[in-house]
Amino acid sequence: MRKEAEEAWLNAEVGPAFDALKADLRRAVTAEQVRTRLAGITQVIMKVTTLVLNANGEPHFQSEDQFDIENLFEVSKSREQNARNMGSEWTAGAVSFFGGEVVKAVNTGEHADVSKAIIQMLMATWLFDSLYCGITASTYRESDMKFTITPDGAVAHTRIPTQKKAPA
């Protein structure tokens, strides 16, 4: 299956790009030009600590992940209008919903599902904070996040200021 996917990618994207470059060598760039362009791309990483508690309120699971916050902002744009239309209560409920999904994934031991649910929870938190609490993108860029989730999916989140350099 992977070999078929690679073959399809080569035929659909790499081959045509190579043919276009051969047809017009002015499209080519030097390694130095690539390095210069990449140096101008600033990735802002948010550290996200997630703590899931057991029924006794004791730590049951903890993870520390790193997410590209600019990518999260970009993906969130497609969900922003829906969050506006549905309102603050619904958007806050989405945070708890995905907190519950984290708990389910932790309890079943599905690592990929845990990561996916944490990303969704972070996105819902960003939408709620930005749309209904006036938290800016700059504040998120300069923060890390800590989530504490109870067994029923209730979520407490804390933004922790950092010394990251945010892009202008």
Side-chain angles (χ1 to χ4, degrees):
M1 179 111 140
R2 181 178 175 172
K3 186 172 178 125
E4 292 166 353
E6 289 173 353
E7 189 70 29
W9 172 71
L10 286 169
N11 288 328
E13 295 183 36
V14 176
F18 178 73
D19 292 341
L21 180 61
K22 276 190 348 187
D24 183 5
L25 292 177
R26 294 173 296 173
R27 298 180 63 184
V29 294
T30 66
E32 185 58 35
Q33 289 170 314
V34 171
R35 279 191 288 277
T36 300
R37 179 153 187 245
L38 290 175
I41 298 172
T42 305
Q43 188 177 43
V44 179
I45 300 297
M46 175 183 269
K47 180 175 80 170
V48 177
T49 304
T50 305
L51 176 65
V52 177
L53 304 176
N54 66 18
N56 297 323
E58 300 164 337
H60 170 62
F61 170 86
Q62 182 169 338
S63 72
E64 189 172 291
D65 300 288
Q66 296 188 353
F67 299 108
D68 177 347
I69 198 66
E70 296 299 328
N71 188 43
L72 181 93
F73 294 156
E74 190 62 33
V75 173
S76 296
K77 287 178 185 176
S78 67
R79 297 179 180 168
E80 186 175 326
Q81 191 58 51
N82 190 45
R84 284 183 194 282
N85 293 344
M86 299 303 287
S88 64
E89 191 173 313
W90 182 88
T91 306
V95 176
S96 292
F97 172 80
F98 288 113
E101 294 298 299
V102 172
V103 172
K104 285 181 200 172
V106 165
N107 290 338
T108 61
E110 294 296 328
H111 180 72
D113 291 344
V114 172
S115 296
K116 181 179 175 183
I118 290 171
I119 292 167
Q120 297 292 336
M121 183 175 59
L122 178 60
M123 189 177 318
T125 302
W126 158 246
L127 288 168
F128 180 78
D129 282 351
S130 63
L131 296 174
Y132 300 107
C133 299
I135 305 299
T136 66
S138 293
T139 299
Y140 259 64
R141 286 183 190 105
E142 297 169 356
S143 300
D144 288 331
M145 185 71 73
K146 180 176 181 183
F147 290 110
T148 303
I149 310 170
T150 64
D152 64 354
V155 177
H157 74 281
T158 307
R159 283 178 314 283
I160 303 162
T162 65
Q163 298 300 315
K164 294 182 247 183
K165 289 186 177 180

